[in-house]
Amino acid sequence: MHPSAFVHPSAQVHETAIIGPWCVVDEGATIGENVVLETRVHVYGGVSIGANTHVYDGAVLGAPPQDLKYAGEPTRLEVGADCIIREYCTLNRGTVQGGGITKIADKVLVMAYSHVAHDCEIGEGAVLANGCQLGGHVRIGAYATIGGTTAIQQRNQVGAYAFVGGTLKVDRDVPPASKAFGNPLKWGALNLHALRLHEADFPQERIDALSRAYRALYRSGRPTSEVIEELKKGPEPLFQAFFDEHWGGTLIRP
């Protein structure tokens, strides 16, 4: 612990953690094994940081949510293990109305100057490139990638294994394993790069089923709601199973 750092006596800091110059760790914070806080990092109360996570200069973790309904209630921010939080990122804790917690899973990379608002949930292995801006209640699935300076409007979802291009406005859900591009945002293709990186979970049969289903949704010219009802009933059970696993069982909202 650097002598210029301030760590509240009641904060739980593992003996192997490194607390750099001018860092502030407030009462009620929990810092796990081998965590590194570089310089001028502020960790508020109600924040837990998992083992081996590295937080770079100027990041602010667990500040009060920027929500006018917030009235000082005790809420939380949980950051998982093996995460990287780069320079000047801001991750707010949750609100009572949103469940009380903002949650960052293991192995997440949040690049410099990004903002994660209250009650967001970011899945394992997800990547937010530089300057991403997430509104409240946004959900990012496992191994999804969000391009630089992209803004995601509150309450929207980006599914697991999806890719969203840079400098975009996300004002609708992005289904799992998709590529999303353009303004307004549109479905582009399957994100084959992510699926092939996880080939044990995505044999070619499953990829083909996903491709057929998405083409029916986005290339057939038929009403989305009509195609969704067909997909719920078959004939692509692998597609439904994928959504059950990665989308809470809910197919794409029209």
Side-chain angles (χ1 to χ4, degrees):
M1 186 182 302
H2 193 275
S4 66
F6 172 79
V7 177
H8 193 278
S10 72
Q12 300 180 40
V13 179
H14 195 276
E15 62 183 6
T16 60
I18 296 173
I19 312 297
W22 302 293
C23 289
V24 176
V25 179
D26 287 346
E27 180 180 6
T30 301
I31 310 296
E33 183 178 359
N34 295 320
V35 168
V36 176
L37 307 182
E38 290 282 356
T39 302
R40 300 182 299 278
V41 175
H42 190 168
V43 180
Y44 280 76
V47 176
S48 62
I49 303 177
N52 306 310
T53 287
H54 198 135
V55 185
Y56 284 78
D57 297 20
V60 180
L61 307 186
Q66 298 174 104
D67 186 329
L68 294 176
K69 296 187 298 296
Y70 180 70
E73 301 93 345
T75 55
R76 295 189 52 75
L77 165 68
E78 291 184 2
V79 179
D82 301 300
C83 293
I84 298 174
I85 311 297
R86 292 301 303 249
E87 295 83 357
Y88 301 100
C89 290
T90 54
L91 284 62
N92 292 166
R93 61 182 184 267
T95 64
V96 170
Q97 295 83 1
I101 185 169
T102 302
K103 190 168 185 178
I104 315 298
D106 297 344
K107 301 177 182 177
V108 169
L109 168 58
V110 184
M111 296 189 195
Y113 298 98
S114 292
H115 175 69
V116 178
H118 59 87
D119 306 299
C120 287
E121 182 177 342
I122 301 180
E124 180 177 344
V127 175
L128 274 60
N130 296 294
C132 287
Q133 305 295 304
L134 274 56
H137 311 276
V138 166
R139 176 183 169 193
I140 307 293
Y143 305 106
T145 299
I146 312 298
T149 69
T150 284
I152 304 180
Q153 186 173 306
Q154 62 180 358
R155 300 187 185 278
N156 282 298
Q157 304 178 79
V158 176
Y161 306 99
F163 174 85
V164 179
T167 70
L168 298 179
K169 177 180 71 174
V170 179
D171 57 359
R172 62 200 67 191
D173 290 348
V174 177
S178 292
K179 288 183 178 180
F181 303 109
N183 186 16
L185 199 71
K186 295 179 180 179
W187 183 80
L190 276 183
N191 188 16
L192 293 174
H193 175 73
L195 298 183
R196 287 168 178 162
L197 284 176
H198 299 85
E199 60 183 353
D201 296 323
F202 294 98
Q204 191 61 46
E205 179 188 12
R206 196 177 197 192
I207 291 174
D208 291 344
L210 287 170
S211 180
R212 288 191 296 269
Y214 278 137
R215 287 184 178 279
L217 277 166
Y218 295 112
R219 295 287 186 261
S220 68
R222 297 166 55 201
T224 302
S225 57
E226 179 181 307
V227 177
I228 286 173
E229 288 306 311
E230 288 186 8
L231 290 171
K232 286 179 179 179
K233 299 172 184 176
E236 300 291 2
L238 290 175
F239 182 76
Q240 180 63 60
F242 179 75
F243 271 82
D244 288 343
E245 182 179 355
H246 296 295
W247 200 246
T250 302
L251 285 167
I252 307 160
R253 294 182 289 187

